[in-house]
Amino acid sequence: MKKPTSTSKKPHKQHSHEFRNEALKLAEQIGVAAAARELSLYESQLYTWRSKQQQIVTASERESELAAENARLKRQLAEQAEELVILQKAATYFAKRLK
C-alpha cells in the first residue's frame, strides 16, 4: 500500500465568488502573502483569482468601448444618410431648373 507523500494533491475546495472578492480586497489591503496566510490559501490562488477578475473587467471595458463606438458610427451613418437625402433633393431641384 502506498503511503501518501507530501506532494500529493489536496482536494480542491470551491470558494464562493463573494469569498474570492473579499479575499482579493484583503490582499489589496495587506498584501497577497499576508492575505493568503490569514485565509489559509495559496498565494497562487489569489494571483489566479486576481488575474481572472482583471480579464473580466478588461472584457467589460472593451464591450463598453465597442458599444460607444457602435453608437458613434450609427450617429455618423444617420447624419450621412440625411445629407444624402438633402443632396438628392438639391440635385432634383437644379435638374428641373436647367430644363
Side-chain angles (χ1 to χ4, degrees):
M1 201 162 120
K2 282 190 175 180
K3 188 173 153 184
T5 62
S6 61
T7 58
S8 62
K9 292 186 176 187
K10 297 179 187 176
H12 288 308
K13 181 176 181 187
Q14 295 294 322
H15 297 284
S16 70
H17 291 289
E18 294 80 17
F19 177 82
R20 291 178 186 196
N21 290 337
E22 291 301 317
L24 290 173
K25 286 178 189 173
L26 182 63
E28 200 172 293
Q29 293 170 353
I30 65 174
V32 173
R37 275 193 308 275
E38 191 171 314
L39 298 171
S40 300
L41 298 171
Y42 294 109
E43 288 180 39
S44 61
Q45 282 178 296
L46 290 174
Y47 285 118
T48 300
W49 293 348
R50 185 169 65 185
S51 175
K52 286 181 181 178
Q53 187 180 54
Q54 287 171 342
Q55 287 174 352
I56 290 169
V57 168
T58 302
S60 65
E61 285 174 354
R62 182 70 182 136
E63 287 175 9
S64 296
E65 290 171 2
L66 289 173
E69 177 70 2
N70 193 21
R72 184 188 70 77
L73 290 171
K74 283 183 179 182
R75 280 192 307 274
Q76 184 180 1
L77 181 61
E79 289 171 7
Q80 289 181 344
E82 188 177 328
E83 290 173 4
L84 182 59
V85 168
I86 292 169
L87 289 172
Q88 287 172 338
K89 287 180 181 179
T92 303
Y93 173 79
F94 289 116
K96 286 180 183 177
R97 294 208 57 198
L98 288 176
K99 288 184 178 179

